[in-house]
Amino acid sequence: MKNDAISSELLESLNKASRKIRTAFNQGVTAHGLTYPRARTLLRLAKKQNVTQTELACELELEQATIVRLLDRMEENGLIERRADPNDRRVKLIALTEHGKEQAELVKSIGLQLRMHLFSDIDTQELQSAIDLLEKVSARLGDWSGDSVTK
């Protein structure tokens, strides 16, 4: 493949940038007493409340045991509450408390500051081209099985 070297370099650059963005975001939230997983959960719940633990675990791509421990800590810290599902008493719905909503706004602000720092001098068209490329790559990953690789 003629693009092998450049496509390899692109994936390496993407991976490197992703790690650096996560590290920078993590530094921002830990400065305010949060962890990266808690910040992600707060953002997710700020978009959609009253979800089940299973739905949340799926959306955050976390194992069930991991999400239970995470939510236990968040509940202890007054960030979330578990409510009974009116349609199924066995199911608990996860919702932000007022404190959780405040912390979610803080996390959103940290994310906005980071995006402004990263993209303030990058043209909108360049950003859209990058989005288009990443969406194309993501779509192709959806139908790749990995079993077609030959030795």
Side-chain angles (χ1 to χ4, degrees):
M1 177 170 100
K2 66 180 178 181
N3 292 334
D4 187 46
I6 195 76
S7 63
S8 179
E9 189 176 337
L10 172 65
L11 288 179
E12 184 59 35
S13 294
L14 180 61
N15 204 4
K16 186 177 179 181
S18 179
R19 284 193 310 268
K20 285 184 171 188
I21 291 167
R22 180 181 171 154
T23 298
F25 181 75
N26 192 43
Q27 288 173 341
V29 298
T30 56
H32 295 279
L34 292 168
T35 64
Y36 181 77
R38 286 182 194 166
R40 285 186 65 219
T41 305
L42 287 168
L43 288 175
R44 189 71 214 117
L45 289 170
K47 288 181 183 176
K48 183 179 178 189
Q49 293 224 51
N50 295 314
V51 295
T52 66
Q53 287 183 179
T54 303
E55 291 170 325
L56 194 56
C58 184
E59 290 179 21
L60 295 172
E61 299 179 350
L62 296 173
E63 297 291 327
Q64 198 64 24
T66 303
I67 196 75
V68 169
R69 286 190 306 273
L70 176 62
L71 294 176
D72 285 347
R73 295 290 175 265
M74 291 180 74
E75 190 172 33
E76 288 170 12
N77 291 321
L79 297 169
I80 60 129
E81 59 185 12
R82 292 173 165 117
R83 301 174 180 162
D85 184 337
N87 301 319
D88 186 345
R89 294 183 316 185
R90 298 168 297 171
V91 175
K92 297 289 185 192
L93 300 176
I94 311 303
L96 291 174
T97 61
E98 284 306 312
H99 178 56
K101 289 175 186 175
E102 292 168 6
Q103 293 297 292
E105 288 302 316
L106 173 66
V107 172
K108 285 181 192 178
S109 174
I110 292 167
L112 176 60
Q113 290 172 8
L114 179 59
R115 288 190 307 275
M116 288 174 57
H117 177 75
L118 293 174
F119 304 121
S120 64
D121 62 345
I122 298 177
D123 182 78
T124 302
Q125 188 58 44
E126 285 182 277
L127 291 173
Q128 189 58 57
S129 293
I131 291 167
D132 293 345
L133 175 63
L134 292 174
E135 286 179 351
K136 194 181 290 186
V137 169
S138 290
R140 289 188 180 168
L141 280 171
D143 63 7
W144 190 71
S145 65
D147 60 3
S148 62
V149 176
T150 57
K151 292 182 181 181

